[in-house]
Amino acid sequence: MSISTEGLDIKGKVIFSTGNIMSMSDITKKPSQNSTEELVEAIKFTLKNQKTKSNEFITDHLQMGSKGEEIQLKMQEIGFDDLKIGLKVFLINDNPALLEEALSQALQKQLNVPKVFDVIISFKNHSLDEAANQEPNLLDKSEFDNLNQIKPIWKCLETYVSKKIVGELGIADIEESTFKELYEWATIKPSIVQINLETCCVVPPGLQSFCKEKEVKLYTHNDSSVILPDKLVEEMFGNTLELQWAVRFTIHIKCRGVLTTKGYCICMDTKAK
Amino acid sequence: MGLLTEGTPLTWEETKKLAEHVREHGIIQFINLYKRLKERKGDVLKWGDEIEYIIIKFDDENKKARVSLRGEEILNVLNQEEQNHPDTVKCLWRPEFAAYMIEGTPGQPYGGTLAHFNVVESNMKLRKQEATELLKDKEYLMSLTSFPRLGCPDFTDPPTKATPNEGGTKSLFFPDGAVFGGHPRFMNLVRNIRKRRGEHVAINLPIFRDKNTKIPVDDSHTIRKAALPDCVYLDAMGFGMGCCCLQLTFQACNIDEARTLYDQLTPLCPIMLAFTAASPVHRGFLTDVDCRWNVISGSVDCRTEEERGLKPLKENKFVINKSRYDSIDSYLSTQGAKYNDIAVLYNEEDYKKLRDNGIDHLLAQHVAHLFIRDTVSLFSEKIYQNDEEDTDHFENIQSTNWQTMRFKPPPPHSTIGWRVEFRPCEVQVTDFENAAIVCFVVLLTRVILSYQLNFLIPISKVDENMRNAQKRNACKEQKFWFRKDITTDVSPPEANRCCAGSNCQPKECDMVGFMTVNDIVNGKHGDFPGLIPLISSYLNGMDVDADTHCTIQQYLKFIQKRASGEVLTTAAFIRKFVMEHPNYNHDSVVSEIINYDLLTTLKDISDGNKSCPELLGYSVTTKTKENVPQALKNDF
């Protein structure tokens, strides 16, 4: 499991991009069961195959991994209008600045696109996660159980929709009642609610009928509650760093069920004391 | 069997005289359509399934099950609905070869978003329901690959009699009355295939040897020299074309994608044939094969003795290795070219004409190869055509080349694009199984395109797999050639060199391994990722609505279980049922009462009145629904 980041004395902020994992044959040969496994494999693959010289200091952070050239080339080949690009942002707190950073990394640096079809947010408070370790019944508790925590993030997302940078908004793993509150409160209503694949056969009827009534898309995901646990960050990048955000981009060819591109950008920074 | 041309059929003698005419114009028609449509692109994914059904009539008093010959009557009513509401009808119905068969498809093709997977099973149920409403008491619609006592005395309702010395079929067992009479095409095919061949078609299926099995099986071998004493002998087109199957058609975005899918699905044909095996009983005997494939192949084998290599060539041009119903002989994509390692016969002048008109070698050879078959069905109204507009002569030959895969050009004057048809699967008894198989195959095509997978192996190995796929219990016991490294990385030069040649031994050519259906579907640690794990991984990157994903999960679990042997194939289930029946005498004979009980049981399973974990597993309830939900209608 241990990965050598040879010669790299990683301190301070790092943004790491995997590039398109759909074209990594090592990953295709070992299909992952969940996103964490997939992300870890992709990071390892990228670390193994990219020369350290491609790392670059940009203003305040170290940029590692793919610069997105291959992805951008592929999009050009297929044609932007035929693509449906979606983002999912994994956040650890309600600081909109981190959300903005994640979106800008994906939109401008990796993909270099003026707009995406949708953005789904997933919010995981790490301190809560640790609490859950001690008290397992907390695990069942969805993280989005408090509208006040969502509000600053959602407000920020809404500005992207008004600027026509993002088409639709979605949210993952949210309590039914909180989702309804969000729906009532929000100026730009959520179009998507994402639930864990494990629960796709036992969707709460209330949520089901609410979604039907409001024409909200009830999608599944197969993401662990913490996309990249501290332990794995430590193993791959050293013990001074912790995850700030992660963003996954998926690019589909419209109406053909073809997934051409999938990748992650993650941001890590020195652990808060 | 494709669209039916209306009209007056020509006699065999007339048809034979026009064979060259059809060939010449068919080739020109293809050239013209190719020039018109080769640049067509940007088509979205559309797809659909076709299921053939048998109408069974249960005689509870005498404990007999027979096929009911009311297909035409029922079709007339079903087609009325289509005529009245062509745009809104939910199911389409077509005649099939036998008078007891009908074919049903969804009213509209399914589209490119995953939510359509959740409509498939519901539509299949609807089809059964629609047709069932027109049935009489004790009649029942079943998606059954083969009727176990087809060709036995008293197998039809109303009763019919085989007429060995007169009529079209001239079979010892299969009556003309069991052929669909509502359209002349079918009986015309029967007659012309027999006449072209110069004798009865002959299928010899090795009998399953139980402890009391009698050899010779019956006295067929004393009547017909083609009959082998230790085989179940079948002598009519109806034994093959009277079987049912499950087929799938996909629209590709352009001609190149169609060629890629045609090739990539080819190595999956034998695997899916073994996986869907459902026909171990023929003419009332348990045989040693599990599938219909070779039965149909033999049942329409119109090759003359010369063409079969039994006599020196005099009248005919070629010795041809396969029936016109068989596995494909060549790949079509440039990636596939180096795996074309068996002879592809064609008329030089046809090939040259295609090449001179700008058609590349692979496609030219494919089309020219289709045209080594003579027309066996021609209608007087369709002889003289406008080759710029019409494609009937091309379609005439194309639609009577019944192969594992079919490469389909866009029809004239339509919005339909280049398509590929996947034809090996046997039909299953329940809608759940059929929907699972359909979704599995369509998902595979998406996975192939998304990950740009490469399943290609030398085509001779696909043929070897086809032979093994039909053997008894192949799904569980046989090993198949399959490509180990399916990523599109450049393979090592030695492997490439080796696999370009025809003498490719597995040990020299490491990219091809020997795998069970379980290895292929579920994966083999360190060797092969498995089709299901690849599909799951693909789905994780897609927007799938919860209900659809729930349904797909039930399907994939079922596929995994059947591949691993945890649940039985239909063929294995039927075998087991017969062999455990109290009236079974261990003599390979499937008697009236066994047949009746078997079909009653299958009917109850199909209805959902009887759970059958050994065939289906425990979770067969899906969230399938009639329509794509409103919120997902505008999805991409």
Side-chain angles (χ1 to χ4, degrees):
Chain A
M1 198 60 166
S2 139
I3 276 289
S4 139
T5 46
E6 276 168 65
L8 275 179
D9 180 18
I10 303 177
K11 287 201 184 82
K13 193 154 101 180
V14 182
I15 295 179
F16 185 98
S17 301
T18 62
N20 183 12
I21 64 174
M22 296 298 288
S23 59
M24 296 176 184
S25 56
D26 284 11
I27 291 186
T28 308
K29 284 174 195 165
K30 279 199 293 181
S32 311
Q33 293 319 301
N34 61 57
S35 321
T36 301
E37 218 177 273
E38 177 181 83
L39 175 56
V40 169
E41 290 295 323
I43 293 170
K44 287 201 232 168
F45 181 86
T46 312
L47 284 172
K48 196 174 78 188
N49 288 278
Q50 289 239 330
K51 298 279 173 281
T52 46
K53 64 171 182 268
S54 70
N55 297 333
E56 203 180 338
F57 279 100
I58 300 172
T59 53
D60 67 330
H61 69 272
L62 175 67
Q63 189 86 32
M64 291 177 76
S66 159
K67 293 201 179 68
E69 302 95 330
E70 183 222 323
I71 296 168
Q72 293 166 26
L73 203 66
K74 195 161 193 166
M75 282 193 281
Q76 273 170 25
E77 271 170 28
I78 302 168
F80 185 71
D81 290 344
D82 287 332
L83 298 173
K84 179 189 175 187
I85 307 171
L87 301 179
K88 183 167 179 182
V89 187
F90 301 86
L91 296 169
I92 55 160
N93 63 40
D94 57 3
N95 178 2
L98 293 179
L99 171 65
E100 282 174 358
E101 188 177 58
L103 290 176
S104 119
Q105 182 65 31
L107 290 163
Q108 285 147 34
K109 303 270 174 49
Q110 260 314 283
L111 306 177
N112 191 22
V113 291
K115 58 181 181 191
V116 292
F117 193 83
D118 53 35
V119 172
I120 296 170
I121 49 160
S122 161
F123 179 47
K124 179 70 190 177
N125 190 325
H126 277 220
S127 55
L128 247 176
D129 190 49
E130 274 149 34
N133 280 338
Q134 268 108 53
E135 232 182 301
N137 64 337
L138 267 177
L139 269 178
D140 296 334
K141 207 163 161 51
S142 171
E143 300 315 326
F144 275 130
D145 57 354
N146 181 348
L147 182 62
N148 289 327
Q149 276 190 313
I150 304 167
K151 280 181 177 174
I153 297 168
W154 202 265
K155 280 254 176 262
C156 172
L157 282 171
E158 285 178 336
T159 63
Y160 283 84
V161 179
S162 347
K163 288 187 218 153
K164 302 208 185 313
I165 299 170
V166 174
E168 295 180 355
L169 301 178
I171 190 161
D173 305 317
I174 181 169
E175 281 288 334
E176 183 184 329
S177 55
T178 317
F179 182 68
K180 288 177 180 168
E181 285 171 40
L182 170 68
Y183 194 92
E184 293 312 316
W185 168 82
T187 313
I188 312 281
K189 311 286 181 202
S191 312
I192 300 160
V193 59
Q194 244 192 359
I195 59 164
N196 193 290
L197 177 57
E198 280 173 18
T199 63
C200 74
C201 292
V202 286
V203 181
L207 182 62
Q208 185 91 269
S209 58
F210 185 79
C211 288
K212 194 175 172 190
E213 189 199 328
K214 305 288 186 191
E215 291 189 14
V216 171
K217 291 174 269 197
L218 184 64
Y219 284 155
T220 57
H221 69 73
N222 194 13
D223 304 322
S224 334
S225 58
V226 186
I227 186 83
L228 194 61
D230 293 347
K231 197 171 132 271
L232 294 172
V233 174
E234 198 174 296
E235 275 175 22
M236 292 186 290
F237 296 97
N239 61 5
T240 59
L241 296 178
E242 68 180 3
L243 189 71
Q244 300 296 302
W245 50 259
V247 56
R248 176 174 62 219
F249 46 91
T250 47
I251 308 180
H252 306 109
I253 305 181
K254 282 180 188 170
C255 301
R256 285 180 46 210
V258 175
L259 175 64
T260 69
T261 305
K262 182 179 183 181
Y264 295 84
C265 304
I266 55 171
C267 176
M268 294 158 294
D269 206 343
T270 312
K271 277 180 191 168
K273 288 278 147 36
Chain B
M1 308 230 315
L3 270 171
L4 298 182
T5 316
E6 295 288 340
T8 323
L10 300 183
T11 63
W12 170 239
E13 288 68 29
E14 292 165 325
T15 306
K16 196 176 171 184
K17 276 186 215 141
L18 288 162
E20 287 299 311
H21 172 85
V22 170
R23 184 157 69 88
E24 191 192 328
H25 290 276
I27 297 272
I28 294 171
Q29 289 174 359
F30 180 80
I31 290 168
N32 290 337
L33 82 81
Y34 177 80
K35 284 182 177 166
R36 228 172 25 239
L37 297 161
K38 65 178 179 204
E39 301 294 346
R40 186 188 166 100
K41 57 182 178 234
D43 287 312
V44 300
L45 169 65
K46 283 187 180 167
W47 56 279
D49 66 272
E50 287 171 34
I51 292 181
E52 290 157 358
Y53 302 90
I54 295 182
I55 308 161
I56 308 268
K57 179 145 189 184
F58 289 95
D59 175 353
D60 296 334
E61 212 171 300
N62 299 302
K63 303 261 183 242
K64 284 184 176 191
R66 302 181 182 90
V67 294
S68 163
L69 306 179
R70 295 209 307 122
E72 187 183 351
E73 232 178 294
I74 290 160
L75 267 173
N76 287 341
V77 184
L78 290 170
N79 287 340
Q80 205 58 52
E81 182 66 15
E82 185 187 338
Q83 259 174 20
N84 297 344
H85 313 279
D87 298 325
T88 53
V89 77
K90 289 268 182 188
C91 318
L92 301 179
W93 296 96
R94 296 289 173 265
E96 253 307 329
F97 178 85
Y100 53 81
M101 285 166 86
I102 52 175
E103 179 191 281
T105 58
Q108 301 292 327
Y110 301 118
T113 57
L114 291 162
H116 286 97
F117 289 112
N118 210 25
V119 180
V120 177
E121 188 182 339
S122 170
N123 186 273
M124 287 176 180
K125 286 184 202 295
L126 197 72
R127 270 178 251 172
K128 262 192 186 160
Q129 206 181 319
E130 231 180 58
T132 301
E133 278 167 15
L134 303 173
L135 298 179
K136 291 181 181 160
D137 189 33
K138 303 293 177 196
E139 275 181 342
Y140 193 83
L141 191 75
M142 287 183 86
S143 44
L144 189 70
T145 296
S146 68
F147 181 77
R149 285 181 58 83
L150 200 70
C152 292
D154 192 26
F155 81 101
T156 67
D157 179 279
T160 49
K161 251 193 140 56
T163 51
N165 300 314
E166 56 183 24
T169 307
K170 296 192 172 178
S171 162
L172 299 174
F173 320 104
F174 199 95
D176 280 358
V179 178
F180 186 85
H183 194 283
R185 171 185 160 101
F186 300 109
M187 195 45 98
N188 197 36
L189 278 170
V190 171
R191 194 179 290 119
N192 291 350
I193 285 173
R194 205 193 63 244
K195 288 194 169 173
R196 190 185 187 286
R197 182 179 166 93
E199 60 188 350
H200 287 94
V201 295
I203 303 132
N204 284 290
L205 297 172
I207 187 109
F208 168 72
R209 290 178 188 243
D210 208 339
K211 60 184 181 200
N212 299 328
T213 303
K214 275 192 236 136
I215 308 285
V217 169
D218 58 12
D219 58 3
S220 298
H221 69 288
T222 62
I223 309 167
R224 294 277 179 77
K225 68 174 178 12
L228 303 178
D230 56 351
C231 288
V232 180
Y233 168 71
L234 311 171
D235 66 348
M237 181 166 167
F239 283 108
M241 285 295 177
C243 290
C244 296
C245 51
L246 169 65
Q247 289 167 349
L248 279 158
T249 303
F250 325 94
Q251 175 170 281
C253 68
N254 58 33
I255 187 171
D256 287 334
E257 187 182 275
R259 293 167 76 149
T260 298
L261 283 177
Y262 179 89
D263 285 6
Q264 294 300 334
L265 289 173
T266 293
L268 291 162
C269 289
I271 311 307
M272 290 311 293
L273 179 59
F275 182 89
T276 56
S279 48
V281 185
H282 294 272
R283 199 162 60 76
F285 295 101
L286 265 180
T287 69
D288 225 18
V289 297
D290 270 2
C291 301
R292 80 199 188 289
W293 190 264
N294 279 353
V295 179
I296 314 187
S297 180
S299 82
V300 290
D301 188 353
C302 65
R303 291 173 302 162
T304 63
E305 284 188 300
E306 291 180 15
E307 285 171 332
R308 280 176 280 144
L310 302 172
K311 266 187 187 170
L313 286 172
K314 244 172 76 190
E315 305 260 304
N316 299 112
K317 285 179 220 157
F318 309 109
V319 174
I320 306 175
N321 282 326
K322 293 178 184 175
S323 161
R324 61 197 300 155
Y325 186 110
D326 218 312
S327 51
I328 67 158
D329 285 323
S330 69
Y331 290 116
L332 279 180
S333 67
T334 41
Q335 207 183 9
K338 62 172 181 262
Y339 303 104
N340 283 335
D341 66 341
I342 60 175
V344 182
L345 294 174
Y346 49 77
N347 289 294
E348 254 334 301
E349 67 268 33
D350 294 346
Y351 173 77
K352 190 167 178 304
K353 202 190 284 173
L354 290 156
R355 293 287 281 141
D356 289 348
N357 281 281
I359 298 172
D360 59 279
H361 163 68
L362 292 168
L363 187 56
Q365 128 179 313
H366 166 77
V367 174
H369 182 57
L370 295 176
F371 278 83
I372 62 168
R373 312 290 173 176
D374 286 343
T375 175
V376 278
S377 169
L378 200 56
F379 292 80
S380 60
E381 295 83 350
K382 295 282 176 181
I383 302 171
Y384 300 102
Q385 304 199 324
N386 175 359
D387 291 341
E388 291 292 333
E389 294 276 327
D390 300 327
T391 57
D392 285 71
H393 288 322
F394 169 72
E395 284 299 334
N396 184 312
I397 299 303
Q398 158 99 331
S399 69
T400 51
N401 267 276
W402 296 282
Q403 297 173 345
T404 38
M405 299 293 307
R406 190 177 276 161
F407 180 71
K408 299 168 86 164
H413 317 295
S414 83
T415 54
I416 302 170
W418 292 90
R419 289 151 304 149
V420 167
E421 194 176 335
F422 186 73
R423 305 167 45 84
C425 294
E426 306 225 327
V427 74
Q428 312 294 298
V429 173
T430 65
D431 296 323
F432 171 78
E433 293 163 283
N434 288 319
I437 290 160
V438 164
C439 292
F440 174 67
V441 175
V442 181
L443 280 169
L444 264 184
T445 65
R446 300 305 101 188
V447 170
I448 289 167
L449 295 174
S450 294
Y451 291 97
Q452 303 188 350
L453 299 181
N454 181 2
F455 289 130
L456 302 177
I457 58 172
I459 209 144
S460 59
K461 295 219 164 353
V462 179
D463 279 355
E464 195 181 326
N465 286 348
M466 276 303 285
R467 289 189 289 275
N468 290 330
Q470 303 178 54
K471 291 181 178 165
R472 173 163 48 89
N473 221 4
C475 185
K476 202 170 175 185
E477 291 168 4
Q478 284 294 319
K479 285 196 164 187
F480 298 95
W481 298 112
F482 210 78
R483 194 180 175 102
K484 289 200 291 187
D485 185 357
I486 54 170
T487 55
T488 26
D489 277 356
V490 185
S491 42
E494 322 80 75
N496 276 341
R497 255 200 310 280
C498 157
C499 296
S502 52
N503 302 320
C504 180
Q505 292 305 310
K507 57 178 179 293
E508 301 165 45
C509 177
D510 197 40
M511 58 152 226
V512 182
F514 222 28
M515 299 185 211
T516 61
V517 171
N518 186 33
D519 297 335
I520 295 164
V521 171
N522 291 319
K524 187 178 177 188
H525 189 72
D527 252 358
F528 188 73
L531 303 179
I532 295 275
L534 283 164
I535 289 174
S536 302
S537 179
Y538 157 84
L539 287 171
N540 287 343
M542 298 301 293
D543 296 327
V544 197
D545 69 277
D547 284 350
T548 302
H549 215 150
C550 174
T551 299
I552 291 176
Q553 278 192 324
Q554 310 308 312
Y555 294 158
L556 296 184
K557 270 185 214 157
F558 159 73
I559 302 269
Q560 282 181 301
K561 282 184 192 159
R562 189 162 279 180
S564 72
E566 195 182 323
V567 299
L568 300 173
T569 61
T570 312
F573 177 83
I574 292 174
R575 273 182 201 288
K576 187 163 177 269
F577 186 95
V578 169
M579 296 179 72
E580 287 173 358
H581 194 280
N583 291 68
Y584 178 66
N585 297 324
H586 300 278
D587 55 359
S588 320
V589 174
V590 179
S591 62
E592 290 277 21
I593 178 78
I594 300 175
N595 185 51
Y596 173 84
D597 285 341
L598 171 66
L599 294 178
T600 306
T601 302
L602 292 178
K603 166 180 95 71
D604 288 342
I605 294 168
S606 152
D607 270 350
N609 290 337
K610 190 185 184 97
S611 73
C612 188
E614 64 176 340
L615 183 67
L616 307 170
Y618 286 95
S619 51
V620 291
T621 315
T622 64
K623 305 246 176 191
T624 185
K625 51 184 120 190
E626 203 175 326
N627 295 303
V628 171
Q630 200 54 41
L632 303 170
K633 281 214 166 121
N634 297 321
D635 254 22
F636 294 116

